[in-house]
Coordinates of all heavy atoms in Angstrom, one line a residue:
M130 N 19.8 36.8 25.0 CA 18.9 36.7 23.9 C 17.7 35.7 24.2 O 17.9 34.6 24.9 CB 19.6 36.1 22.7 CG 20.6 37.2 22.1 SD 20.5 37.1 20.3 CE 21.1 35.6 19.8
A131 N 16.5 36.0 23.8 CA 15.4 35.2 24.1 C 15.5 33.9 23.4 O 15.0 32.8 23.8 CB 14.1 35.9 23.7
K132 N 16.1 33.9 22.2 CA 16.1 32.6 21.3 C 16.8 31.5 22.0 O 16.3 30.4 21.9 CB 17.0 33.0 20.1 CG 16.1 33.3 18.9 CD 16.9 33.4 17.6 CE 16.0 33.6 16.4 NZ 16.8 33.7 15.2
K133 N 17.9 31.8 22.8 CA 18.7 30.7 23.4 C 17.9 29.8 24.4 O 18.1 28.7 24.5 CB 19.9 31.3 24.1 CG 21.2 31.0 23.3 CD 22.4 31.4 24.1 CE 23.6 31.2 23.3 NZ 24.8 31.7 23.9
K134 N 16.9 30.6 25.1 CA 16.2 29.9 26.1 C 15.3 28.7 25.5 O 15.1 27.7 26.2 CB 15.1 30.9 26.7 CG 15.7 31.6 27.8 CD 14.6 32.3 28.6 CE 15.1 33.5 29.3 NZ 14.0 34.5 29.6
N135 N 14.9 28.8 24.3 CA 14.0 27.8 23.6 C 14.8 26.6 23.0 O 14.1 25.8 22.5 CB 13.2 28.5 22.6 CG 12.2 29.4 23.2 OD1 11.7 29.1 24.3 ND2 11.8 30.4 22.4
T136 N 16.1 26.6 23.1 CA 16.8 25.6 22.4 C 16.4 24.1 22.7 O 16.2 23.3 21.9 CB 18.3 25.7 22.7 OG1 18.7 27.1 22.4 CG2 19.2 24.9 21.7
G137 N 16.2 24.0 24.1 CA 15.9 22.6 24.5 C 14.5 22.2 23.9 O 14.3 21.1 23.4
Q138 N 13.6 23.2 24.0 CA 12.2 22.9 23.4 C 12.3 22.6 21.9 O 11.6 21.7 21.4 CB 11.3 24.1 23.7 CG 10.0 23.8 24.3 CD 9.2 25.0 24.5 OE1 9.4 26.1 23.9 NE2 8.2 24.9 25.4
R139 N 13.1 23.4 21.2 CA 13.2 23.2 19.8 C 13.7 21.9 19.4 O 13.3 21.1 18.6 CB 14.0 24.4 19.1 CG 13.3 24.9 17.9 CD 14.0 26.0 17.3 NE 14.5 27.1 18.3 CZ 15.7 27.6 18.3 NH1 16.6 27.2 17.3 NH2 16.0 28.5 19.2
N140 N 14.7 21.5 20.2 CA 15.3 20.2 20.0 C 14.3 19.0 20.2 O 14.3 18.1 19.5 CB 16.6 20.0 20.8 CG 17.8 20.7 20.2 OD1 17.8 21.0 19.1 ND2 18.7 21.0 21.1
F141 N 13.4 19.3 21.3 CA 12.5 18.3 21.5 C 11.5 18.1 20.4 O 11.2 17.0 19.9 CB 11.7 18.7 22.8 CG 10.4 17.9 23.1 CD1 10.6 16.5 23.6 CD2 9.2 18.3 22.8 CE1 9.5 15.8 23.8 CE2 8.1 17.6 23.0 CZ 8.2 16.3 23.6
F142 N 11.1 19.3 19.8 CA 10.2 19.1 18.7 C 10.8 18.6 17.5 O 10.2 17.8 16.7 CB 9.5 20.6 18.4 CG 8.4 20.8 19.4 CD1 8.6 21.9 20.2 CD2 7.3 20.1 19.5 CE1 7.6 22.2 21.1 CE2 6.3 20.3 20.4 CZ 6.4 21.4 21.2
R143 N 12.1 18.8 17.3 CA 12.8 18.2 16.1 C 12.9 16.7 16.3 O 12.6 16.0 15.4 CB 14.2 18.7 16.1 CG 14.3 20.1 15.4 CD 15.8 20.4 15.2 NE 15.8 21.8 14.8 CZ 16.7 22.7 15.3 NH1 17.6 22.4 16.2 NH2 16.6 24.0 14.9
F144 N 13.1 16.3 17.5 CA 13.2 14.9 17.8 C 11.9 14.2 17.6 O 11.8 13.2 16.9 CB 13.6 14.7 19.3 CG 13.7 13.4 19.8 CD1 14.8 12.6 19.2 CD2 12.9 12.9 20.8 CE1 14.9 11.2 19.7 CE2 13.0 11.5 21.2 CZ 14.1 10.6 20.6
M145 N 10.8 14.8 18.0 CA 9.4 14.3 17.8 C 9.1 14.2 16.2 O 8.5 13.3 15.8 CB 8.4 15.2 18.4 CG 8.5 15.1 20.0 SD 8.5 13.4 20.6 CE 6.8 13.1 20.8
A146 N 9.6 15.3 15.5 CA 9.3 15.3 14.1 C 10.0 14.1 13.4 O 9.5 13.4 12.5 CB 9.7 16.6 13.5
V147 N 11.3 13.8 13.9 CA 12.1 12.7 13.2 C 11.3 11.4 13.5 O 11.1 10.6 12.7 CB 13.5 12.7 13.8 CG1 14.1 11.4 13.4 CG2 14.2 13.9 13.3
I148 N 10.8 11.2 14.8 CA 10.1 10.0 15.2 C 8.8 9.9 14.2 O 8.5 8.8 13.7 CB 9.6 9.9 16.6 CG1 10.9 9.8 17.5 CG2 8.7 8.9 17.0 CD1 10.6 9.8 19.0
G149 N 8.1 10.9 14.0 CA 6.9 10.9 13.3 C 7.2 10.5 11.8 O 6.5 9.6 11.3
V150 N 8.2 11.1 11.2 CA 8.6 10.7 9.8 C 8.9 9.3 9.7 O 8.4 8.6 8.8 CB 9.7 11.6 9.3 CG1 10.3 11.1 8.0 CG2 9.2 13.0 9.1
V151 N 9.7 8.7 10.7 CA 10.2 7.3 10.6 C 8.9 6.4 10.8 O 8.8 5.4 10.0 CB 11.2 7.0 11.7 CG1 11.4 5.6 11.9 CG2 12.5 7.7 11.4
V152 N 8.0 6.7 11.7 CA 6.9 5.8 11.8 C 6.0 5.8 10.7 O 5.6 4.8 10.2 CB 6.0 6.3 13.1 CG1 4.7 5.6 13.2 CG2 6.8 6.0 14.4
I153 N 5.6 7.0 10.1 CA 4.8 7.0 8.9 C 5.4 6.4 7.8 O 4.8 5.6 7.1 CB 4.5 8.6 8.6 CG1 3.5 9.1 9.7 CG2 3.7 8.6 7.3 CD1 3.3 10.5 9.7
G154 N 6.7 6.6 7.5 CA 7.5 5.9 6.5 C 7.4 4.4 6.6 O 7.1 3.7 5.7
G155 N 7.7 4.0 7.9 CA 7.6 2.5 8.2 C 6.2 2.0 7.9 O 6.1 0.8 7.3
L156 N 5.1 2.6 8.2 CA 3.8 2.1 7.9 C 3.5 2.0 6.4 O 3.0 1.0 6.0 CB 2.7 3.1 8.5 CG 2.6 2.9 10.1 CD1 1.6 4.0 10.6 CD2 2.2 1.6 10.5
I157 N 3.9 3.0 5.7 CA 3.7 3.0 4.2 C 4.5 1.8 3.6 O 4.0 1.1 2.8 CB 4.2 4.4 3.6 CG1 3.1 5.5 4.0 CG2 4.2 4.2 2.1 CD1 3.5 6.9 3.7
Y158 N 5.8 1.7 4.1 CA 6.7 0.7 3.5 C 6.1 -0.7 3.8 O 6.0 -1.6 3.0 CB 8.0 0.8 4.1 CG 9.0 -0.2 3.7 CD1 9.6 0.0 2.3 CD2 9.3 -1.3 4.3 CE1 10.5 -1.0 1.9 CE2 10.2 -2.3 3.9 CZ 10.8 -2.1 2.6 OH 11.7 -3.0 2.2
S159 N 5.6 -0.9 5.0 CA 5.0 -2.3 5.4 C 3.7 -2.5 4.7 O 3.4 -3.6 4.3 CB 5.0 -2.5 6.8 OG 4.5 -1.3 7.5
F160 N 2.9 -1.4 4.4 CA 1.6 -1.6 3.7 C 1.9 -2.1 2.3 O 1.3 -3.0 1.8 CB 0.8 -0.4 3.7 CG -0.5 -0.6 2.9 CD1 -1.5 -1.3 3.5 CD2 -0.6 -0.1 1.6 CE1 -2.7 -1.4 2.8 CE2 -1.8 -0.2 0.9 CZ -2.8 -0.9 1.5
L161 N 2.9 -1.4 1.6 CA 3.3 -1.8 0.3 C 3.7 -3.2 0.1 O 3.4 -4.0 -0.7 CB 4.3 -0.8 -0.4 CG 3.8 0.6 -0.5 CD1 4.9 1.4 -1.1 CD2 2.6 0.7 -1.5
G162 N 4.5 -3.7 1.2 CA 5.1 -5.0 1.2 C 4.1 -6.1 1.5 O 4.4 -7.3 1.3
A163 N 2.9 -5.7 2.1 CA 1.9 -6.7 2.5 C 1.1 -7.2 1.3 O 0.3 -8.2 1.6 CB 1.0 -6.0 3.6
A164 N 1.1 -6.6 0.2 CA 0.2 -7.0 -0.9 C 0.7 -8.4 -1.4 O 1.9 -8.5 -1.8 CB 0.2 -6.0 -2.0
P165 N -0.2 -9.4 -1.5 CA 0.2 -10.7 -2.1 C 0.5 -10.5 -3.6 O -0.2 -9.8 -4.3 CB -1.0 -11.6 -1.9 CG -2.1 -10.7 -1.6 CD -1.6 -9.4 -1.1
P166 N 1.6 -11.2 -4.1 CA 1.9 -11.1 -5.6 C 0.7 -11.7 -6.4 O 0.0 -12.5 -5.9 CB 3.2 -11.8 -5.7 CG 3.2 -12.8 -4.5 CD 2.5 -12.1 -3.4
L167 N 0.7 -11.4 -7.7 CA -0.3 -12.1 -8.6 C 0.0 -13.5 -8.6 O 1.2 -14.0 -8.8 CB -0.2 -11.5 -9.9 CG -0.5 -10.0 -10.1 CD1 -0.4 -9.6 -11.6 CD2 -1.9 -9.7 -9.6
P168 N -1.1 -14.4 -8.5 CA -0.8 -15.8 -8.6 C -0.5 -16.2 -10.2 O -0.8 -15.4 -11.0 CB -2.2 -16.4 -8.3 CG -3.2 -15.4 -8.2 CD -2.4 -14.0 -8.2
K169 N 0.3 -17.3 -10.3 CA 0.7 -17.7 -11.6 C -0.4 -18.4 -12.3 O -0.5 -19.7 -12.4 CB 1.9 -18.6 -11.6 CG 3.2 -17.9 -11.4 CD 4.4 -18.9 -11.4 CE 5.6 -18.4 -10.8 NZ 6.6 -19.2 -10.7
T170 N -1.6 -17.8 -12.7 CA -2.6 -18.4 -13.4 C -2.9 -17.7 -14.7 O -2.5 -16.5 -14.9 CB -3.9 -18.4 -12.5 OG1 -4.2 -17.0 -12.2 CG2 -3.7 -19.1 -11.2
A171 N -3.6 -18.3 -15.6 CA -4.0 -17.8 -16.9 C -4.7 -16.5 -16.6 O -4.6 -15.5 -17.4 CB -4.8 -18.7 -17.7
N172 N -5.5 -16.4 -15.6 CA -6.3 -15.2 -15.3 C -5.4 -13.9 -15.1 O -5.8 -12.8 -15.3 CB -7.1 -15.4 -14.0 CG -8.3 -16.1 -14.1 OD1 -8.8 -16.3 -15.3 ND2 -8.9 -16.7 -13.1
H173 N -4.2 -14.2 -14.7 CA -3.3 -13.1 -14.3 C -2.1 -12.9 -15.3 O -1.3 -12.1 -14.9 CB -2.8 -13.3 -12.9 CG -3.9 -13.3 -11.9 ND1 -4.5 -14.4 -11.5 CD2 -4.5 -12.3 -11.3 CE1 -5.4 -14.2 -10.7 NE2 -5.5 -12.9 -10.5
S174 N -2.1 -13.7 -16.4 CA -1.0 -13.5 -17.3 C -1.2 -12.2 -18.0 O -2.3 -11.8 -18.3 CB -0.8 -14.7 -18.2 OG -1.9 -14.7 -19.0
G175 N -0.2 -11.6 -18.3 CA -0.2 -10.3 -19.1 C 0.6 -9.2 -18.4 O 1.7 -8.9 -19.0
P176 N 0.3 -8.8 -17.2 CA -0.9 -8.9 -16.5 C -2.0 -8.1 -17.0 O -1.8 -7.1 -17.8 CB -0.4 -8.3 -15.1 CG 0.7 -7.4 -15.4 CD 1.4 -7.9 -16.6
P177 N -3.3 -8.4 -16.7 CA -4.4 -7.7 -17.3 C -4.5 -6.2 -16.7 O -3.8 -5.9 -15.7 CB -5.6 -8.4 -16.7 CG -5.1 -9.4 -15.6 CD -3.7 -9.5 -15.8
A178 N -5.2 -5.3 -17.4 CA -5.4 -4.0 -17.0 C -6.2 -3.9 -15.8 O -7.0 -4.8 -15.5 CB -6.0 -3.2 -18.2
P179 N -6.1 -2.8 -15.0 CA -6.8 -2.6 -13.8 C -8.3 -2.9 -13.9 O -8.9 -3.4 -13.0 CB -6.5 -1.2 -13.3 CG -5.1 -0.9 -13.9 CD -5.1 -1.7 -15.2
G180 N -8.9 -2.4 -15.1 CA -10.3 -2.6 -15.3 C -10.7 -4.0 -15.2 O -11.7 -4.4 -14.6
E181 N -9.8 -4.9 -15.8 CA -10.1 -6.3 -15.8 C -10.0 -6.9 -14.4 O -10.8 -7.8 -14.0 CB -9.0 -7.1 -16.7 CG -9.2 -6.7 -18.2 CD -10.5 -7.3 -18.7 OE1 -10.6 -8.5 -18.8 OE2 -11.3 -6.6 -19.2
C182 N -8.9 -6.5 -13.7 CA -8.7 -7.0 -12.3 C -10.0 -6.6 -11.5 O -10.5 -7.5 -10.8 CB -7.6 -6.2 -11.6 SG -6.1 -6.0 -12.5
L183 N -10.5 -5.5 -11.7 CA -11.6 -5.0 -10.8 C -12.9 -5.9 -11.2 O -13.7 -6.3 -10.3 CB -12.0 -3.6 -11.1 CG -11.0 -2.6 -10.3 CD1 -11.3 -1.2 -10.7 CD2 -11.1 -2.8 -8.8
R184 N -13.1 -6.1 -12.6 CA -14.2 -6.9 -12.9 C -14.4 -8.2 -12.2 O -15.3 -8.6 -11.6 CB -14.2 -7.1 -14.4 CG -15.6 -7.3 -15.1 CD -15.4 -7.4 -16.6 NE -14.5 -8.4 -17.0 CZ -14.8 -9.7 -17.2 NH1 -16.0 -10.1 -16.9 NH2 -13.9 -10.6 -17.5
C185 N -13.2 -8.9 -12.1 CA -13.3 -10.2 -11.3 C -13.2 -10.0 -9.8 O -13.9 -10.8 -9.2 CB -12.0 -11.0 -11.8 SG -12.0 -11.7 -13.4
H186 N -12.5 -9.0 -9.4 CA -12.3 -9.0 -7.9 C -13.3 -8.1 -7.2 O -13.2 -8.1 -6.0 CB -10.8 -8.5 -7.7 CG -9.8 -9.6 -7.9 ND1 -9.7 -10.7 -7.1 CD2 -9.0 -9.8 -8.9 CE1 -8.7 -11.5 -7.5 NE2 -8.3 -11.0 -8.7
V187 N -14.2 -7.5 -8.0 CA -15.3 -6.9 -7.3 C -16.6 -7.7 -7.4 O -17.4 -7.8 -6.5 CB -15.6 -5.5 -7.9 CG1 -16.8 -4.8 -7.4 CG2 -14.4 -4.6 -7.5
E188 N -16.7 -8.3 -8.6 CA -17.9 -9.1 -8.9 C -17.8 -10.6 -8.5 O -18.7 -11.3 -8.7 CB -18.3 -9.0 -10.4 CG -18.8 -7.5 -10.7 CD -18.9 -7.3 -12.2 OE1 -19.4 -8.3 -12.9 OE2 -18.7 -6.2 -12.7
N189 N -16.7 -11.0 -8.0 CA -16.5 -12.3 -7.4 C -16.6 -13.4 -8.6 O -17.0 -14.4 -8.3 CB -17.5 -12.5 -6.3 CG -17.2 -13.8 -5.5 OD1 -18.2 -14.4 -5.2 ND2 -16.0 -14.2 -5.3
I190 N -16.2 -13.0 -9.8 CA -16.2 -13.9 -10.9 C -15.2 -15.1 -10.7 O -14.1 -14.7 -10.2 CB -15.9 -13.1 -12.2 CG1 -17.1 -12.2 -12.6 CG2 -15.7 -14.1 -13.4 CD1 -16.8 -11.2 -13.7
D191 N -15.6 -16.3 -11.0 CA -14.7 -17.5 -10.8 C -14.2 -17.5 -9.4 O -13.1 -18.0 -9.2 CB -13.5 -17.3 -11.7 CG -13.7 -17.6 -13.2 OD1 -14.9 -18.2 -13.5 OD2 -12.8 -17.4 -13.9
Q192 N -15.0 -17.2 -8.4 CA -14.6 -17.2 -7.0 C -13.4 -16.4 -6.7 O -12.6 -16.7 -5.7 CB -14.2 -18.7 -6.5 CG -15.2 -19.8 -7.1 CD -16.3 -20.0 -6.0 OE1 -16.1 -20.2 -4.9 NE2 -17.5 -19.8 -6.5
A193 N -13.2 -15.4 -7.5 CA -12.0 -14.5 -7.2 C -12.2 -13.8 -5.8 O -13.3 -13.4 -5.6 CB -11.9 -13.4 -8.3
P194 N -11.2 -13.8 -5.0 CA -11.4 -13.1 -3.7 C -11.7 -11.7 -3.9 O -11.1 -11.0 -4.7 CB -9.9 -13.3 -3.0 CG -9.0 -13.7 -4.1 CD -9.8 -14.3 -5.2
I195 N -12.6 -11.2 -3.1 CA -13.1 -9.8 -3.1 C -12.0 -8.9 -2.6 O -11.3 -9.2 -1.7 CB -14.4 -9.6 -2.3 CG1 -15.5 -10.4 -2.7 CG2 -14.7 -8.1 -2.4 CD1 -16.1 -10.1 -4.0
M196 N -11.7 -7.8 -3.5 CA -10.6 -6.9 -3.2 C -11.0 -6.2 -1.8 O -12.0 -5.6 -1.6 CB -10.6 -5.8 -4.2 CG -9.5 -4.9 -4.1 SD -9.5 -3.7 -5.5 CE -11.0 -2.9 -5.3
P197 N -10.1 -6.4 -0.8 CA -10.4 -5.9 0.6 C -10.0 -4.4 0.8 O -9.8 -4.1 2.0 CB -9.5 -6.9 1.4 CG -8.3 -7.1 0.6 CD -8.8 -7.1 -0.8
H198 N -9.8 -3.7 -0.2 CA -9.5 -2.2 0.0 C -10.1 -1.5 -1.2 O -10.6 -2.2 -2.2 CB -8.0 -2.1 -0.1 CG -7.3 -2.7 -1.2 ND1 -7.4 -2.2 -2.4 CD2 -6.4 -3.8 -1.3 CE1 -6.7 -3.0 -3.2 NE2 -6.1 -4.0 -2.6
R199 N -10.1 -0.2 -1.1 CA -10.7 0.5 -2.2 C -9.8 0.5 -3.4 O -8.6 0.2 -3.4 CB -11.0 2.0 -1.8 CG -9.9 2.7 -1.0 CD -10.5 4.0 -0.4 NE -11.1 4.8 -1.4 CZ -10.5 5.8 -2.0 NH1 -9.3 6.1 -1.7 NH2 -11.1 6.5 -3.0
P200 N -10.4 0.7 -4.6 CA -9.5 0.7 -5.8 C -8.5 1.7 -5.8 O -8.7 2.9 -5.5 CB -10.5 1.0 -7.0 CG -11.8 1.3 -6.4 CD -11.8 1.0 -4.9
M201 N -7.2 1.2 -6.0 CA -6.1 2.2 -5.9 C -5.3 2.1 -7.2 O -4.3 1.3 -7.3 CB -5.2 1.8 -4.7 CG -5.9 2.0 -3.4 SD -4.8 1.7 -2.0 CE -4.8 -0.1 -2.1
G202 N -5.5 2.9 -8.1 CA -4.7 3.1 -9.3 C -4.3 1.8 -10.0 O -5.1 0.9 -10.2
T203 N -3.0 1.8 -10.3 CA -2.4 0.6 -11.0 C -2.2 -0.5 -10.0 O -1.3 -0.4 -9.2 CB -1.2 1.0 -11.7 OG1 -1.2 2.3 -12.2 CG2 -0.8 0.0 -12.8
C204 N -2.9 -1.6 -10.2 CA -2.9 -2.7 -9.2 C -1.5 -3.3 -9.1 O -1.0 -3.7 -8.0 CB -3.8 -3.8 -9.6 SG -5.5 -3.3 -10.1
T205 N -0.8 -3.3 -10.2 CA 0.6 -4.0 -10.2 C 1.7 -3.3 -9.6 O 2.8 -3.8 -9.5 CB 0.9 -4.4 -11.7 OG1 0.7 -3.2 -12.5 CG2 0.1 -5.5 -12.2
T206 N 1.4 -2.0 -9.2 CA 2.5 -1.3 -8.3 C 2.7 -2.1 -7.0 O 3.9 -2.3 -6.5 CB 2.1 0.1 -7.9 OG1 0.8 0.3 -8.2 CG2 3.1 1.1 -8.5
C207 N 1.7 -2.7 -6.5 CA 1.8 -3.4 -5.2 C 1.7 -4.9 -5.5 O 2.5 -5.7 -4.9 CB 0.7 -3.0 -4.3 SG 0.7 -1.3 -3.9
H208 N 0.7 -5.4 -6.3 CA 0.6 -6.8 -6.6 C 1.5 -7.2 -7.7 O 1.0 -7.1 -8.9 CB -0.9 -7.2 -6.9 CG -1.8 -6.9 -5.8 ND1 -1.9 -7.6 -4.7 CD2 -2.6 -5.8 -5.6 CE1 -2.7 -7.1 -3.8 NE2 -3.3 -6.0 -4.4
K209 N 2.8 -7.5 -7.5 CA 3.7 -7.7 -8.5 C 3.4 -9.1 -9.2 O 3.1 -10.0 -8.6 CB 5.2 -7.8 -8.0 CG 5.6 -6.5 -7.2 CD 6.0 -5.5 -8.1 CE 6.6 -4.3 -7.3 NZ 6.4 -3.1 -8.1
P210 N 3.6 -9.1 -10.6 CA 3.5 -10.3 -11.3 C 4.6 -11.3 -10.9 O 5.7 -10.8 -10.5 CB 3.6 -9.9 -12.8 CG 3.7 -8.4 -12.8 CD 3.9 -7.9 -11.4
P211 N 4.3 -12.5 -11.0 CA 5.4 -13.5 -10.6 C 6.6 -13.4 -11.5 O 6.3 -13.2 -12.7 CB 4.7 -14.9 -10.6 CG 3.4 -14.7 -11.5 CD 3.1 -13.3 -11.4
A212 N 7.7 -13.6 -11.0 CA 9.0 -13.5 -11.8 C 9.1 -14.6 -12.9 O 8.7 -15.7 -12.6 CB 10.2 -13.4 -10.9
Ligands
HEC76 C1 -10.6 -13.4 -15.1 C2 -10.7 -13.0 -13.7 C3 -9.5 -12.4 -13.0 C4 -8.8 -11.3 -13.4 C5 -9.0 -10.5 -14.8 C6 -7.8 -11.0 -12.3 N1 -7.9 -12.0 -11.3 FE1 -7.0 -12.0 -9.6 N2 -7.8 -13.8 -9.0 C7 -8.8 -14.4 -9.8 C8 -9.1 -15.7 -9.1 C9 -10.1 -16.7 -9.7 C10 -8.3 -15.8 -8.0 C11 -8.2 -16.9 -7.0 C12 -7.8 -18.2 -7.6 C13 -6.3 -18.1 -8.2 O1 -5.4 -18.0 -7.4 O2 -6.3 -18.1 -9.4 C14 -7.5 -14.5 -8.0 C15 -6.5 -14.3 -7.0 C16 -6.0 -13.1 -6.9 C17 -5.1 -12.6 -5.8 C18 -4.9 -13.4 -4.5 C19 -3.4 -14.0 -4.4 C20 -3.1 -14.6 -3.1 O3 -2.0 -15.2 -3.1 O4 -3.9 -14.5 -2.2 C21 -4.7 -11.3 -6.0 C22 -3.8 -10.4 -5.1 C23 -5.2 -10.9 -7.3 N3 -5.9 -12.0 -7.8 C24 -5.0 -9.7 -7.9 C25 -5.4 -9.5 -9.2 C26 -4.9 -8.2 -9.9 C27 -4.1 -7.1 -9.3 C28 -5.4 -8.4 -11.2 C29 -5.2 -7.4 -12.3 C30 -3.8 -7.2 -12.7 C31 -6.2 -9.6 -11.2 N4 -6.1 -10.2 -10.0 C32 -6.9 -10.0 -12.3 C33 -9.4 -13.9 -10.9 C34 -9.0 -12.8 -11.7
HEC77 C1 -1.0 0.6 -2.5 C2 -0.8 -0.8 -2.7 C3 -2.0 -1.7 -3.3 C4 -2.6 -1.4 -4.6 C5 -2.2 -0.3 -5.5 C6 -3.6 -2.4 -4.8 N1 -3.6 -3.3 -3.7 FE1 -4.7 -5.0 -3.5 N2 -3.9 -5.3 -1.7 C7 -2.9 -4.5 -1.0 C8 -2.6 -5.0 0.3 C9 -1.6 -4.5 1.3 C10 -3.5 -6.2 0.4 C11 -3.5 -7.2 1.6 C12 -4.6 -6.6 2.5 C13 -5.0 -7.6 3.6 O1 -4.6 -8.7 3.6 O2 -5.9 -7.2 4.5 C14 -4.2 -6.4 -0.8 C15 -5.1 -7.4 -1.1 C16 -5.8 -7.5 -2.3 C17 -6.7 -8.7 -2.6 C18 -7.0 -9.8 -1.7 C19 -6.1 -11.0 -1.9 C20 -6.5 -12.1 -1.1 O3 -5.7 -13.1 -1.0 O4 -7.6 -12.2 -0.5 C21 -7.2 -8.5 -3.9 C22 -8.1 -9.4 -4.6 C23 -6.6 -7.2 -4.3 N3 -5.8 -6.7 -3.4 C24 -6.8 -6.7 -5.6 C25 -6.4 -5.4 -6.0 C26 -6.8 -4.8 -7.3 C27 -7.7 -5.4 -8.3 C28 -6.1 -3.7 -7.4 C29 -6.2 -2.6 -8.5 C30 -7.5 -2.0 -8.7 C31 -5.2 -3.5 -6.2 N4 -5.5 -4.7 -5.4 C32 -4.4 -2.5 -5.9 C33 -2.3 -3.4 -1.6 C34 -2.6 -2.8 -2.8

């Protein structure tokens, strides 16, 4: 059967696919974990809605650090409020 000849090749590609999934998953996981949490300040209590976050962190109001990435949905998925 012609199928049997390709077993080694197919296993190679399976192996490469597993490596790919693990690497991409690891990158996503470490990116999510890299976000600094919200500081415990009056500015961040609530926490404020994403529109408010952007107002300060794009326009540099009160010396707020400029957001170093593009706006991504709900800020608090990654920037967790302090416990
Ligand atoms: C009224 C303005 C204002 C609003 C609204 C605001 N911030 Fe900030 N943010 C600041 C200022 C000022 C600082 C820097 C000084 C400080 O720590 O308070 C800061 C600091 C930060 C930091 C840096 C923390 C660190 O440890 O480096 C992050 C992250 C952050 N804000 C995210 C957010 C997110 C997400 C929101 C919305 C949920 C938000 N901010 C809303 C003014 C604001
Ligand atoms: C998918 C996760 C994710 C989301 C959603 C997200 N961020 Fe971030 N943010 C990060 C990561 C990771 C960093 C650290 C990047 C770095 O240090 O280069 C960061 C850094 C920041 C900083 C800089 C903090 C400092 O100390 O200089 C600000 C400000 C910030 N984000 C604001 C926001 C705001 C506002 C929103 C919502 C519009 C938001 N982020 C949504 C992941 C996220």
Side-chain angles (χ1 to χ4, degrees):
M130 285 225 297
K132 261 190 179 175
K133 256 190 180 168
K134 271 193 204 158
N135 289 332
T136 310
Q138 230 179 18
R139 227 177 312 136
N140 284 339
F141 172 75
F142 282 116
R143 278 189 192 134
F144 182 64
M145 294 310 272
V147 168
I148 292 180
V150 168
V151 167
V152 167
I153 290 167
L156 286 176
I157 292 171
Y158 181 79
S159 39
F160 178 77
L161 295 180
L167 297 182
K169 279 186 200 173
T170 57
N172 281 343
H173 298 93
S174 67
E181 291 292 300
C182 313
L183 285 175
R184 206 171 57 83
C185 291
H186 285 286
V187 170
E188 293 172 29
N189 189 218
I190 291 170
D191 284 347
Q192 315 271 306
I195 300 289
M196 185 176 64
H198 52 67
R199 42 193 310 261
M201 295 181 286
T203 321
C204 314
T205 45
T206 9
C207 299
H208 301 284
K209 301 279 186 212

